[in-house]
Amino acid sequence: MPPALACRAVRRTCLAAALAAVTATGVAAQTPAVAGKDAFERLKSLAGMWEGQAGHGPSGQAATVTYRLASGGSVVEETLFPGTPHEMISMYHMVDGELVLTHYCAMANQPRMRLDSKASTPDRLVFVFDGGTNFDPAKDTHVHSGVLEWKGETLHNTWAVYSGGKETGQNQFVLTRKK
């Protein structure tokens, strides 16, 4: 084969390989990092009592959080500050293959969130705002989004609080399982 034709053949082969790599990358980018079903199974593993600190920064207050399976294992119930005037409950469950939650807040509103599968990993579940009841998200204070992250033996929960349509702070929990 003349050298000019050989160079064109090599370029075509390289171009085809590059196109295949780009196509494969595009397909991989569309695949969820963690499926809702798998994230829900991970949440089920939290069943039990967790203790630690909660607050808006490093000087938090003592916190207890419980997780329990309900309704035949189809719901994970998370109770923050059980038995106190600040008790709040979040219910995690599957809807059409997606993991969703409703947070029943002490502020008497109920924000809904869904798992962002693309932003999540098996050790870091990212939840994004998906509506709610008893509040206007453009004006009223509400929990807007959150992250649950496993770091070794600890569970880190970070919940973004919105007011006036923008983030005004975060509630952070750092918890370990009570033995």
Side-chain angles (χ1 to χ4, degrees):
M1 179 180 302
L5 289 177
C7 284
R8 277 191 222 139
V10 167
R11 273 188 250 148
R12 264 191 235 119
T13 301
C14 289
L15 183 60
L19 184 59
V22 167
T23 302
T25 302
V27 169
Q30 294 172 3
T31 303
V34 63
K37 181 181 89 159
D38 296 330
F40 187 62
E41 290 303 315
R42 186 74 194 264
L43 280 174
K44 286 180 177 183
S45 76
L46 295 175
M49 183 178 290
W50 293 73
E51 294 179 323
Q53 298 289 308
H56 304 290
S59 60
Q61 66 180 19
T64 299
V65 178
T66 61
Y67 293 90
R68 80 175 187 96
L69 302 180
S71 300
S74 66
V75 175
V76 173
E77 177 186 81
E78 172 189 67
T79 305
L80 309 173
F81 309 111
T84 73
H86 299 291
E87 180 176 272
M88 295 177 271
I89 296 173
S90 294
M91 303 296 272
Y92 299 82
H93 61 96
M94 298 296 296
V95 174
D96 297 327
E98 283 194 72
L99 177 59
V100 299
L101 76 90
T102 300
H103 174 69
Y104 298 89
C105 192
M107 292 184 288
N109 59 36
Q110 300 81 35
R112 290 187 311 269
M113 293 167 234
R114 62 176 171 72
L115 179 73
D116 182 340
S117 293
K118 292 179 182 174
S120 296
T121 68
D123 290 331
R124 186 173 188 272
L125 305 182
V126 177
F127 291 89
V128 295
F129 185 71
D130 197 29
T133 54
N134 290 332
F135 68 101
D136 179 347
K139 298 187 302 186
D140 299 326
T141 302
H142 64 282
V143 176
H144 191 79
S145 58
V147 175
L148 278 73
E149 188 168 11
W150 287 260
K151 294 183 179 182
E153 296 295 314
T154 61
L155 179 65
H156 295 244
N157 296 352
T158 303
W159 299 100
V161 177
Y162 273 51
S163 190
K166 62 183 178 189
E167 186 173 332
T168 57
Q170 294 184 343
N171 293 326
Q172 299 176 351
F173 293 77
V174 178
L175 306 164
T176 55
R177 187 184 299 272
K178 185 174 179 183
K179 305 269 186 224

